[in-house]
Structure formats: structure tokens, C-alpha cells
Amino acid sequence: MEPVDQPAGLSPSRGQLVALFGGLVVLGLLLGIGARELTSSGDGSGLNGASPTSSPTGTADPASVQSEDDAQEVAVETTSTPATGPPDYDAIPEDATSEDGLDFGFLTRVVSKDGTVTLRFDRASFYTGDEAKRRNNGKVPDNDYLIENTNPTQRSFVLDPQASIIAANRLQNTPSGEVGRQPLTVAEFVKNSTRVLTGTTKDLPVWLRHTDGLDGDVTAVAEQYLP
């Protein structure tokens, strides 16, 4: 018997079946992804899957950050404030080398402006006795003292209005060439130092006492006599 021809279009071809099946698979995948996204967004965890209580590595909550910042600011304020005692206005002793912490050098200029007196100062080192001998190649220096000034840097210091000031000879109110300790007021010191330092290349040797090591305001000045 001969096969009966089947009318075209009554049964799907193999290609049509494959296309239909592939479409159903893609649709299923899309529906599955959509359901998973809806589930994730509904529990508040976000798309990245992190839980609401978790935090990124290396960070802290705002309360702890604020506390650390406050502690750091307090520490900076504490360490930046120098620990100094009350100003010492006592006169520098006649033998200035007997007091530790004094500053020796040469006054190069004294300026009084708007009620503030500023000292221009060339710091040096003053040695006597055995130390002067040792630094002078084992020989006793002339007049038993030695001055070393290897740094040309000049510094500026404010003179405390209550500073004690002692003249030795050149700073005296009526210089006669004699050596003797004479107390001066700040006004007398400004006047006499201007007289001494104007028109001369010979700076004025002095000892200074500061309020803070060798950097603060000057609370005492004493002229050093040099033969």
C-alpha cells in the first residue's frame, strides 16, 4: 500500500518544536531570576547579600569614631602646651656661671615699639676654669675665660616688663669705666643699650633668663663684664 500524504501545516516540524522548547526554557529562567530578586529585596539585605548588622572590614560605628577623634584632640591640646613654672624675676647672680639654664650671648640690638621691648641676640658659649683650659688646647686662656661663637644665627626675644636688669660697666647710667653692679629699669636699659649699640661694632655681652628653657620671654638680663 502506498503511504497517504499528510496535508502540510497539520503537524509541527522538528525545527518548530526545538524553537518552542527553547523559548519555554528562557521564559522559565527569567521567571526564576525575577522571583529571586523579589525575595532578596524583601528581606532588607540588599542585592550584595550583606546582612543589615554587618559592617565593612576596617570601619567602626559612628559613635566609636567620634570618641577616638575627641580623645585625639584632647591629647594634642595637652602635649602642645609647654609645662613652665612661674616667671623668675630674681637678679642674675654676679657669677652667672653658677646658675644653670642661663643663656649667654651678645645683644646686637634693642627695639622698643608699641610698649614691647625686643632683644636681638647672638647666642654663644662662655667657659671658665678647667673647661676653658680644656677647650683652649690645655692652656689657661687670657683672663681665665673662653667664648665660642660658631653659629651666626640671631634670635629675637621679648623682654618681660617686670624683668630684672643688671648693668656691669657699659650699661651703667653714667659709665665711668668702673665695674660694678647697678640695677636698671626697663626704660633705663632701653636707653643705655641704644647708646651702647649705636655706632659701634662691639656687641654687648649679656646673660639672659627665659620663662621657657632658652626660647621664652626674658625675665632677667645681666651684663657680663669682659676685661
Side-chain angles (χ1 to χ4, degrees):
M1 176 183 287
E2 294 180 0
V4 179
D5 293 336
Q6 189 173 7
L10 296 180
S11 63
S13 65
R14 178 176 298 178
Q16 290 174 331
L17 290 175
V18 171
L20 177 62
F21 180 76
L24 291 174
V25 171
V26 172
L27 178 61
L29 290 175
L30 292 175
L31 291 175
I33 293 173
R36 184 166 62 252
E37 291 180 349
L38 291 175
T39 303
S40 300
S41 61
D43 63 6
S45 61
L47 295 179
N48 58 4
S51 65
T53 57
S54 65
S55 60
T57 304
T59 62
D61 60 274
S64 63
V65 172
Q66 183 66 33
S67 299
E68 291 173 359
D69 289 345
D70 292 344
Q72 185 177 10
E73 289 178 2
V74 171
V76 170
E77 290 177 359
T78 301
T79 56
S80 64
T81 303
T84 58
D88 184 359
Y89 298 114
D90 290 342
I92 293 175
E94 185 172 1
D95 180 11
T97 60
S98 64
E99 180 179 331
D100 294 333
L102 295 182
D103 196 6
F104 176 78
F106 297 89
L107 281 182
T108 61
R109 191 178 181 189
V110 177
V111 178
S112 179
K113 183 177 181 181
D114 298 330
T116 299
V117 178
T118 303
L119 312 180
R120 290 288 291 170
F121 183 72
D122 182 10
R123 182 170 290 160
S125 298
F126 187 91
Y127 303 103
T128 60
D130 292 339
E131 183 63 17
K133 179 180 178 180
R134 185 182 71 82
R135 291 176 175 272
N136 194 43
N137 299 319
K139 299 178 181 179
V140 177
D142 296 340
N143 300 308
D144 197 33
Y145 72 86
L146 179 68
I147 295 175
E148 292 183 354
N149 187 6
T150 58
N151 187 349
T153 300
Q154 293 196 18
R155 299 164 172 84
S156 293
F157 300 112
V158 172
L159 181 66
D160 190 301
Q162 302 180 58
S164 60
I165 303 172
I166 299 294
N169 62 325
R170 293 170 62 192
L171 274 180
Q172 291 179 355
N173 287 328
T174 54
S176 60
E178 296 183 1
V179 179
R181 287 169 62 85
Q182 182 184 67
L184 301 178
T185 65
V186 171
E188 290 172 334
F189 167 72
V190 172
K191 178 182 178 181
N192 296 352
S193 60
T194 301
R195 180 197 69 216
V196 170
L197 296 175
T198 300
T200 178
T201 58
K202 190 174 183 181
D203 298 329
L204 188 67
V206 294
W207 294 89
L208 306 180
R209 183 190 294 127
H210 300 270
T211 54
D212 180 22
L214 299 179
D215 298 320
D217 293 352
V218 175
T219 60
V221 180
E223 180 186 2
Q224 172 64 51
Y225 169 69
L226 297 180

